[in-house]
Amino acid sequence: MKTTTTLLLFSLFSLLGFSQDKAYDLLKNKTTTNILYDRVFNLSKANSLDPKTISAITFNQVYHEIQRADFSQSLPKYEIVKAEAQLGKASKQIPLSILIADFETIKNEAIEKGDVYLNSNSNFVLKPNANEVFEKHSLNLMSALVAKSTSSTFILKEDFVFNTTNKIISNISIKAENSSWKKIIFGQPFQLLANASGKQIIDYRIEFTNHEVVEQSFEVEINPESTTEINRNSTALVSNAITAITATIGYQGFGETETFLGQGEYELFLDTTTGVLDKPIFLVDGFDPGDSRNSTAIYQSLNYGTGQNLADDLRAQGFDVIILNFPVYTRLNTTTIVDGGADFIQRNAFILVELINQINAQKVGSEENVVIGPSMGGLISRYALRYMEMNSLDHQTRLYISFDSPHLGANVPIGFQHLFNYMAYGPLGNAQVQPIVDGLIKSPAARQMLIDHFEGHLQSGSAFEFNTISASLVPTGAPNYRDAFQNELNTMGFPTAVRNVSISNGAGNGTSNYTPDFEVMNHTFNVTTSQRAIINLRYTPAANQTNQVSRFRGQTFIIAAWFTIYESLANSKSPTYTDGLDTAPGGRFDISSLQAGLGTDPLLTEFFNNLNADYFCFIPAWSSMAISSTTNLYAPISTETTPFVASSIPTVNENHVTVNSENLAFMLNEILNPVLNSQENTVLNSVWIKNPIANTLEINSSYTIENATISITDVLGKTIFSAKGQNINGTLEIPVSLIKGIYLITIATENGSTTKKVIKV
């Protein structure tokens, strides 16, 4: 009985496939294909695949599994396929790939009969004269290597036709719906869906010299770059083209062998009044692994209300909006692919330096610039402006708006980091999770910004197992990245020749995101009737407490009980002076956004459906306000301790980079009403008006203003409204009826007056 139980344990362990166990090595010469699928975790279900609707995500996972299951290692590592997908993004093409492979699985009855058994050296061997032990399967797949693309240009390179069989391909043809077959020529780009938009089903035909013909299909989503929803001016200086730009200042990041110039792209949206580039506002994209946001999406990130947009409002007031994006690109004179949206912050900052110089050289007049930096874009902007000041480069900028930027670091729960990294690069080898890990956690920018990073907790020599000793559990940044960047940023400080203001999406009153030690997940995933995985996730604990933030257990059912056959876990300890990062007040990360682009894998869908939390603290309020004088992440924000001269801070935690009525009014007032004289009356200078206005004029002040005269005039100087003896104590609301346009609001007392510009939309 003991021998039978041991055999079942090891056999079912092999069927779970949590690793490429050497226990299978003696079966290599017993197979006919040299590919034993039992060696890997069957995420893609390659042995029961429907080849009619293959997606890029499925194809990539199938390739990853077959490559690892191959005893002879005849296929290139999966990283080669990933790199080709990245190259496709950089070259605006859809790369195709073909996988022709026969492989085998061990029949369940062979294990039950003892035809496959475990010897004394823990190797699986075949019983003498055993036959029909393996079941053979065949794959004849073609697919795009990217799930989504803005391009309808396809390409199939000969190096990406992978064939482990003796079959010889004689012809490959492809067609879209309602079109004729097109023969594919290796290495020659071709158009297939010139006017397509949305998910497309592409048919393909593979013909072999033995007269075998395979007709199947794959799917790809085409999202052409479209700007029809944006009010564009055809007389624009650059005609609203997306223009490539290369920095003239290079940067050498950690781990790089030399200095490299960064590459970006920008789009100029001239004002809708004169069409002359004379009042530039720079909008700098933030953290965007994989370049999921083009300039149109960045523009639309300023949407508010119903069909309204801050950039539209500003252009109607004569401002020109320049959007800087950091795409995926091929480094000059190399084949190296760079994910610009997650590259080193310094290198991207030098792209902005070059853009500011170029725009300053083109603009008409002497109007000073405004720079808006959402998220990581705020760090890029801060670094660029301060660098220019330190190196005698005139940035001609009057206002810098930091929008929920991580001046003192960002956060992704360390439990999530452990689990996702383990799933992606541990023995499971989940290719669908790898993009999350590569961009959100392992990219240069993530390593620079994350206050707590999984690489600071890894056991020596392991790529995914965490240390368990107490000293290794407190928040630790990525070695060689985090501290070096933060120290450099702190040394540089903030721009000194501009007005620095900040918007936070984190609550300023100490309101937390959930509670420390919150249980995010406690769920059992039933993979099969005899296989399951149990995942436990918690947020980081209260001050000076230790908890288990992540645990993965792979189990198999044997006789009448479940046995844990693989386990990985991570613990965390919060410092003595503050509760954990995950639930601190701050701009929230919407966890559901992680699911986008991961496909419809049932296990991943089940994972997201069983989370008990919808968000976590991404940008601590303390960090967005750059408050270095306190270490307690949960302390209410004191504007007296921040380096910003003005700020907008909500009383509830909002999703990261959310435009709301308060911060919209704040931005408009800062842009439309420049503070030209720092000696102005402090009381009157504190006044801000909700902007744009609707049917009520809302005037706000941090001070009590008594016996004021309030008047509204249009741009021609005509008085539309006037009221005397008004008292402002916090907020004053005055009903008004105005037509669409620009108005000047003047508030006068015996001590002086202030005039603010507002918009009625």
Side-chain angles (χ1 to χ4, degrees), residues 232-240 270-271 274-276:
R232 294 166 179 267
N233 189 317
S234 62
T235 62
L237 179 66
V238 191
S239 191
N240 293 305
L270 290 175
D271 67 86
T274 66
V276 175

Side-chain angles (χ1 to χ4, degrees), residues 677-743:
N677 184 356
S678 61
Q679 302 301 316
E680 286 182 310
N681 183 287
T682 302
V683 174
L684 290 174
N685 193 46
S686 74
V687 170
W688 63 275
I689 301 172
K690 187 173 182 179
N691 204 353
I693 60 176
N695 296 320
T696 300
L697 178 66
E698 182 182 309
I699 303 173
N700 300 270
S701 175
S702 303
Y703 300 87
T704 298
I705 301 176
E706 297 180 342
N707 198 29
T709 297
I710 300 173
S711 61
I712 303 177
T713 58
D714 62 18
V715 292
L716 299 177
K718 180 181 178 181
T719 299
I720 307 299
F721 171 88
S722 181
K724 298 181 179 181
Q726 300 295 307
N727 296 325
I728 307 172
N729 186 7
T731 300
L732 173 65
E733 295 185 1
I734 302 174
V736 293
S737 179
L738 303 173
I739 64 174
K740 183 177 179 180
I742 307 170
Y743 296 90

Side-chain angles (χ1 to χ4, degrees), residues 146-161:
V146 294
K148 300 178 182 180
S149 178
T150 59
S151 169
S152 58
T153 299
F154 293 75
I155 186 170
L156 174 61
K157 299 177 183 177
E158 191 169 6
D159 290 347
F160 287 87
V161 177

Side-chain angles (χ1 to χ4, degrees), residues 222-295:
I222 307 294
N223 297 311
E225 290 186 337
S226 173
T227 54
T228 57
E229 65 275 51
I230 293 178
N231 183 15
R232 294 166 179 267
N233 189 317
S234 62
T235 62
L237 179 66
V238 191
S239 191
N240 293 305
I242 295 176
T243 305
I245 185 168
T246 300
T248 56
I249 305 169
Y251 181 75
Q252 181 177 346
F254 176 78
E256 297 180 334
T257 58
E258 58 183 292
T259 296
F260 296 106
L261 299 175
Q263 299 175 55
E265 60 185 28
Y266 70 92
E267 189 164 6
L268 170 61
F269 299 88
L270 290 175
D271 67 86
T272 53
T273 56
T274 66
V276 175
L277 175 59
D278 58 355
K279 299 172 69 175
I281 294 180
F282 295 85
L283 180 61
V284 182
D285 195 22
F287 187 62
D288 184 22
D291 191 29
S292 62
R293 294 185 298 266
N294 59 16
S295 58

Side-chain angles (χ1 to χ4, degrees), residues 518-531:
F518 181 84
E519 185 177 70
V520 180
M521 176 173 284
N522 181 357
H523 184 68
T524 299
F525 298 81
N526 294 304
V527 182
T528 69
T529 56
S530 61
Q531 308 165 20

Side-chain angles (χ1 to χ4, degrees), residues 294-312:
N294 59 16
S295 58
T296 299
I298 299 168
Y299 191 105
Q300 292 173 335
S301 69
L302 297 180
N303 287 347
Y304 70 91
T306 303
Q308 296 169 291
N309 181 278
L310 174 60
D312 284 345

Side-chain angles (χ1 to χ4, degrees), residues 98 473 515:
I98 291 177
L473 306 183
T515 56

Side-chain angles (χ1 to χ4, degrees), residues 739-756:
I739 64 174
K740 183 177 179 180
I742 307 170
Y743 296 90
L744 299 177
I745 313 297
T746 300
I747 302 169
T749 69
E750 61 182 11
N751 296 318
S753 66
T754 184
T755 299
K756 304 289 185 182

